Amino acid sequence: MPTTVEIPKEKWTGKVREVTLGATPSNGGTRGREVVVGGEATLPFLHFEGAIPHPPVVAVEILDRYPDDWAAPLKEVWGDVMKDPAAWARKAEELGAELIMLKLTLNESGAADGARAADVVKAVLGATTLPLIVRGPGQAEADNAMLVPVCEKAAGERIAVGLCEDKNYRTIVAAAMANNHLVIASTPIDVNLAKQLNILISDMRMPMERILMDPTTGALGYGIEYTYSVMERLRLAALSGDSMTQQPMICFVGEESWRQKESRVGQGVPAEWGDWHHRGVIWETVTAVALLEAGADIVTVRHPKTLELVQSTIQKLMAS
Amino acid sequence: MPLSGLEIYKLLPKTNCKECGFPTCLAFAMKLAAKQAELSACPYVSEEAKQALAAAAAPPIRLVTLGTERSFSVGNETVLFRHEKTFYHEPGLALRVKDTDPALEEKVALVDGFSVERVGMNLVMNALAIENASGDAGTFAGAVAKARAKTKLPFILMSDSPDAMKAALEKEGGMKPLVYAASDGNVEAMAALAKAHGASLAVKAETLDGLAALTEKATAAGVEDLVLDPMPRHLAGALAAFTQLRRLALKKNFRPLGYPIIAFAGNGANSPEEETIAAAQAICKYAGIIVLDHFDAADVYALMTLRQNIFTDPQKPIQVSPGLYEINSPKPGDPLMVTTNFSLTYFSVAGEVEGAGKPAWLLVTDSEGMSVLTAWAAGKFDAEVIAKAVKNFQVESKINHHKIIIPGFVATISGDLEEELPGWEVLVGPREAVDIPAYLKLWQ
Ligand code: B12
Ligand code: SF4
């Protein structure tokens, strides 16, 4: 008698919230299209079990100034467009980016120039039709000083701003709320801290449909296993109906993976590490793919080749 | 799934003869369930009962070992998600080589010798898959013999022809290869060959029903060490099939599919990069053996790193012992640096100092295996901890100066540390380890 195997399926009671980035003219913005993430009713890419209405998307990371400290392979591949954030964003869009992630930095004297930040954001919005993610330098006061004018200048565009951390979220959330933007809630690799921050932000009456969650990214070889597991736990909690864990997740893959020795250093490393340029791309790609398997909804990358590889992987994973 | 005391009792003779040393069969059954007695203590237990008990005690995913001298084992996993406990057996990485490939011997030697050190561990490839692309038994056996002369790594012998498989196995006798693969048409012949040569056997079918039917035939023929190939057609299909197999084994204790999985990362890939991506997915999601079609050092290094990360026990970061380490035979006047005992941190720093060829003392504190910033945030790498380590490891008896270099990321503790170590000068080093060589050049 032939055996018949019953396919084991989980009956999930919850699903991830849908979050829309960008606003088209009909919704009060100027974007060419809106990007919806989230909505999953099952674990990553398990189409046999539940609906996955929106594929994860890939954002390209750009800076508001020339990135002197980035690894040489990145500077080589982008070339002169890196000197102008608007040109850089336009090029990223041409290459197929679905979102732009603009990182703001302090100026040469270490000061946070809010007016300049707002101008750069405006220029980038003008140069591309894509929805935008904007991050501050990552220091509480500087973030507030730069992100508030940015939120005002980009009012209505539904950009995602961050990072909101437990000690520094109020001002950013208030500015995002007042100008119809989204926020990114960031916590250091911990389920309870992530939940807690989502609660604090929603207590300010920010709708949950406007919160993305950054679980903190560790790169391949540099803590990825911690990020991977905390994301799996967050996603399992979300599917089990825990409302405060149901935000789509964003991973800053490019920034983390290009910070590591494998990507940054081409000389004086073991021959077994292989070709430098290729290694950097693979390091970034493997980091992105592993985190997509753990539940990432948005990954940000730096290298155009990574963009291409991760997008084609997502396409293949969405084919059921 | 382990049996309860009552379930075991039903399998015993129920005569209460006491020869096992317990007053009743029931008492003995309870002790067995609690693993405080051995079944062999009862002389009267039936063959049938023995088998039922052994089957119940077997792990839900069978442990399968390939090879002899450089063997590796896969299977015996107990969880779906690594945070639930840990993943135990790293998937073996193999390179596929065709028996017609003129570069066969070079490729074998390359895989055999490839090794990279990372956080104090040696990462290596585990096997070679030799494919009978020629379709000819003699060519296949010849290729296997040539490859065997170059390596002790286990082989995966790939042929659909029992004749070719037989010829190859005759060369491979006793080396415990994996026979790939039994399918609908040849399962009896392949199982007989695997049994005769002490090899493990892969079964391949496009459906789970088909796989289960094959494993039942193979076990009936006396082959227990099986490996499953669900023959996925694309990336999403592989994820679904591998997940279903793992769930069936662990959640349903479904014996016919309780075996490790083999993944062919190159099948369906349009480029070497796509193959690497498929292999990365297979590492995260449940493969026991991963076969690559191309060998590129950077790709393999990235995959081995991912494998090391995913298979690290989440409860226990990889650590080094705290202490005062000597790098490049330092003298009393050479620099003293301090860091944490997280392996990744230690080896990043030690590697840079070694590479720079600079002698230095590296003080490693007991920071419970946490990185610099994590330990600092958790209060396990502060001025007090560092000062204690300076005393405990008698640093002052080894060096003749009072300068200590701290990681750039914890610059903020320098004031506190100067208070804890009166008379010492605290120097703030660079943030990233890669910048340490340049920094040490300035040291006087
Ligand atoms: C993985 C990780 C964890 C893991 C722990 C991993 C481990 N074994 O340490 C887990 C998930 C457990 C964890 C927990 C926490 N974490 Co954590 N974690 C990280 C993460 C992602 C990577 C850390 C890492 O492995 N780095 C790699 C190692 C090699 O780096 P390193 O030790 O710093 O060493 C480098 C340099 O310092 C230098 N160096 C080292 N030694 C020396 C010595 C000298 C002399 C010199 C010159 C240089 C030098 O060389 C190395 C290579 O460049 C970072 C964020 C990130 N992406 O970096 C956050 C991070 C470190 N964590 C953070 C926090 C806050 C925490 C928690 C307190 C959160 C919480 N409240 O629970 C806990 C604390 C632990 C606890 N209470 O149990 C924060 C720290 C913030 C801050 N600036 O204070 C970070 C930066 C995240 C963030 N942005 O908020 N974390
Ligand atoms: S020896 Fe066997 S039959 Fe006799 S009491 Fe013990 S379990 Fe029962």
Side-chain angles (χ1 to χ4, degrees):
Chain A
M1 197 184 71
T3 325
T4 35
V5 181
E6 196 189 327
I7 305 282
K9 289 186 195 168
E10 300 288 344
K11 288 193 184 63
W12 302 112
T13 52
K15 61 177 187 152
V16 180
R17 286 196 177 82
E18 290 185 344
V19 169
T20 305
L21 294 101
T24 52
S26 56
N27 287 323
T30 63
R31 302 300 79 206
R33 67 181 189 109
E34 297 173 356
V35 171
V36 186
V37 292
E40 302 93 324
T42 180
L43 290 167
F45 312 110
L46 295 187
H47 304 282
F48 68 89
E49 185 165 86
I52 303 171
H54 311 291
V57 294
V58 190
V60 165
E61 175 182 355
I62 67 170
L63 239 56
D64 62 354
R65 56 161 172 85
Y66 185 78
D68 293 298
D69 51 343
W70 281 23
L74 291 168
K75 290 194 249 184
E76 260 166 50
V77 67
W78 286 105
D80 277 348
V81 298
M82 287 178 132
K83 291 178 181 154
D84 170 15
W88 194 352
R90 200 177 302 122
K91 181 77 189 172
E93 178 168 6
E94 270 168 39
L95 293 173
E98 289 148 284
L99 298 168
I100 301 292
M101 197 272 278
L102 169 65
K103 176 108 196 265
L104 302 169
T105 60
L106 302 174
N107 65 18
E108 295 84 40
S109 52
D113 187 339
R116 179 179 166 269
D119 286 342
V120 173
V121 168
K122 200 75 197 169
V124 170
L125 282 168
T128 150
T129 69
L130 301 176
L132 195 60
I133 299 166
V134 181
R135 281 178 54 189
Q139 298 161 23
E141 278 163 38
D143 282 3
N144 290 346
M146 293 170 97
L147 291 175
V148 172
V150 162
C151 283
E152 285 163 0
K153 193 105 173 206
E157 294 285 9
R158 217 176 161 92
I159 63 175
V161 293
L163 303 177
C164 298
E165 300 183 51
D166 60 348
K167 51 190 182 299
N168 184 45
Y169 66 93
R170 293 175 176 278
T171 309
I172 303 173
V173 173
M177 249 179 359
N179 296 288
N180 190 26
H181 300 307
L182 319 176
V183 293
I184 302 171
S186 176
T187 45
I189 322 192
D190 187 290
V191 173
N192 290 321
L193 293 178
K195 280 176 71 166
Q196 181 70 25
L197 184 56
N198 288 338
I199 293 170
L200 290 172
I201 292 175
S202 71
D203 280 353
M204 288 183 68
R205 296 179 185 275
M206 174 59 111
M208 296 302 282
E209 288 66 35
R210 281 164 59 188
I211 305 175
L212 296 167
M213 193 158 63
D214 159 31
T216 299
T217 303
L220 177 61
Y222 298 86
I224 193 175
E225 68 273 36
Y226 295 95
T227 302
Y228 182 89
S229 283
V230 92
M231 289 174 70
E232 286 199 328
R233 291 175 56 201
L234 280 164
R235 186 50 50 87
L236 288 167
L239 296 175
S240 306
D242 182 346
S243 170
M244 287 299 147
T245 58
Q246 292 173 337
Q247 307 315 117
M249 293 187 277
I250 177 166
C251 293
F252 300 108
V253 168
E255 178 179 34
E256 281 305 310
S257 94
W258 284 97
R259 215 159 61 89
Q260 311 307 341
K261 181 164 185 178
E262 277 79 355
S263 334
R264 267 181 60 190
V265 183
Q267 260 155 24
V269 300
E272 292 75 21
W273 283 16
D275 176 74
W276 178 22
H277 199 134
H278 179 60
R279 181 172 70 242
V281 170
I282 283 298
W283 216 256
E284 187 178 36
T285 302
V286 169
T287 304
V289 168
L291 297 181
L292 284 166
E293 302 279 358
D297 295 282
I298 303 174
V299 292
T300 71
V301 304
R302 286 185 173 176
H303 199 288
K305 181 74 185 172
T306 312
L307 171 70
E308 179 196 319
L309 288 171
V310 176
Q311 282 180 328
S312 77
T313 303
I314 291 171
Q315 235 171 48
K316 289 204 262 173
L317 283 167
M318 288 303 291
S320 46
Chain B
M1 221 166 281
L3 299 180
S4 69
L6 277 178
E7 285 167 323
I8 296 174
Y9 172 68
K10 288 185 192 144
L11 298 166
L12 293 177
K14 305 191 197 75
T15 54
N16 302 335
C17 76
K18 303 190 176 53
E19 279 183 50
C20 56
F22 294 93
T24 61
C25 293
L26 181 61
F28 181 59
M30 291 302 177
K31 289 287 171 188
L32 279 177
K35 297 204 164 58
Q36 290 163 348
E38 291 288 330
L39 187 62
S40 53
C42 168
Y44 306 111
V45 67
S46 69
E47 243 347 276
E48 189 194 339
K50 272 187 203 158
Q51 276 180 13
L53 282 163
I61 300 175
R62 190 175 170 86
L63 187 72
V64 174
T65 302
L66 264 63
T68 52
E69 247 171 84
R70 289 181 67 180
S71 68
F72 70 96
S73 301
V74 291
N76 213 353
E77 298 297 341
T78 58
V79 292
L80 279 154
F81 302 100
R82 56 188 293 284
H83 66 261
E84 295 173 317
K85 179 103 181 83
T86 184
F87 291 171
Y88 290 97
H89 294 97
E90 293 192 344
L93 283 171
L95 180 70
R96 164 155 56 178
V97 191
K98 294 183 162 62
D99 64 357
T100 49
D101 189 339
L104 176 120
E105 287 169 283
E106 285 113 90
K107 287 186 182 170
V108 172
L110 184 69
V111 170
D112 179 78
F114 190 77
S115 138
V116 195
E117 195 187 317
R118 199 179 159 81
V119 295
M121 298 194 201
N122 255 337
L123 311 182
V124 296
M125 299 271 295
N126 310 89
L128 279 145
I130 301 175
E131 183 178 5
N132 183 207
S134 65
D136 176 66
T139 309
F140 190 40
V144 169
K146 265 196 229 157
R148 183 47 77 211
K150 294 270 172 206
T151 184
K152 297 273 195 287
L153 283 173
F155 288 169
I156 300 163
L157 304 175
M158 302 181 63
S159 178
D160 288 334
S161 146
D163 288 340
M165 193 58 75
K166 181 161 186 286
L169 280 168
E170 273 157 13
K171 302 279 180 203
E172 258 298 277
M175 300 297 277
K176 288 187 153 286
L178 171 65
V179 168
Y180 180 95
S183 53
D184 233 3
N186 65 11
V187 58
E188 281 82 8
M190 288 295 194
L193 284 170
K195 189 169 159 66
H197 292 271
S200 45
L201 177 67
V203 299
K204 60 174 179 183
E206 282 177 13
T207 64
L208 300 189
D209 290 349
L211 277 179
L214 287 170
T215 63
E216 280 172 345
K217 282 185 189 150
T219 48
V223 185
E224 301 282 348
D225 287 334
L226 301 175
V227 171
L228 309 172
D229 176 8
M231 304 176 81
R233 267 165 300 141
H234 48 56
L235 212 53
L239 182 64
F242 291 14
T243 304
Q244 290 164 1
L245 287 170
R246 180 79 152 233
R247 283 186 184 172
L248 281 161
L250 295 186
K251 304 192 79 158
K252 305 276 178 221
N253 202 29
F254 186 67
R255 293 282 164 195
L257 295 177
Y259 300 96
I261 302 167
I262 186 167
F264 290 89
N267 290 359
N270 298 315
S271 67
E273 287 90 350
E274 286 190 15
E275 179 181 323
T276 303
I277 288 166
Q281 172 178 287
I283 288 169
C284 296
K285 295 293 176 185
Y286 313 139
I289 301 172
I290 301 167
V291 181
L292 303 173
D293 288 343
H294 86 283
F295 183 95
D296 174 279
D299 291 345
V300 170
Y301 175 46
L303 290 173
M304 295 199 299
T305 303
L306 180 65
R307 176 175 70 171
Q308 182 184 41
N309 290 162
I310 295 293
F311 283 75
T312 295
D313 184 343
Q315 308 307 320
K316 282 188 243 126
I318 310 176
Q319 308 183 20
V320 295
S321 325
L324 183 63
Y325 287 76
E326 303 181 3
I327 300 178
N328 297 330
S329 321
K331 301 205 176 45
D334 286 323
L336 168 70
M337 311 171 67
V338 62
T339 190
T340 71
N341 71 328
F342 184 32
S343 264
L344 179 61
T345 303
Y346 169 81
F347 283 102
S348 307
V349 175
E352 291 303 336
V353 181
E354 250 163 51
K358 292 270 170 192
W361 302 91
L362 184 54
L363 178 63
V364 175
T365 60
D366 183 358
S367 305
E368 297 175 17
M370 286 185 226
S371 79
V372 168
L373 274 180
T374 312
W376 176 77
K380 309 283 183 200
F381 188 65
D382 54 17
E384 212 177 305
V385 170
I386 297 174
K388 212 191 269 168
V390 168
K391 290 195 186 75
N392 287 351
F393 300 113
Q394 284 138 18
V395 173
E396 287 181 299
S397 70
K398 306 260 175 64
I399 62 171
N400 64 10
H401 60 83
H402 282 101
K403 291 184 195 158
I404 184 165
I405 305 169
I406 61 169
F409 280 121
V410 291
T412 52
I413 66 168
S414 57
D416 287 352
L417 188 55
E418 287 188 339
E419 264 172 46
E420 291 280 340
L421 291 174
W424 282 69
E425 189 184 342
V426 175
L427 306 172
V428 177
R431 293 168 152 245
E432 300 291 346
V434 274
D435 300 320
I436 291 176
Y439 176 82
L440 287 180
K441 275 195 196 132
L442 303 173
W443 167 276
Q444 265 329 313

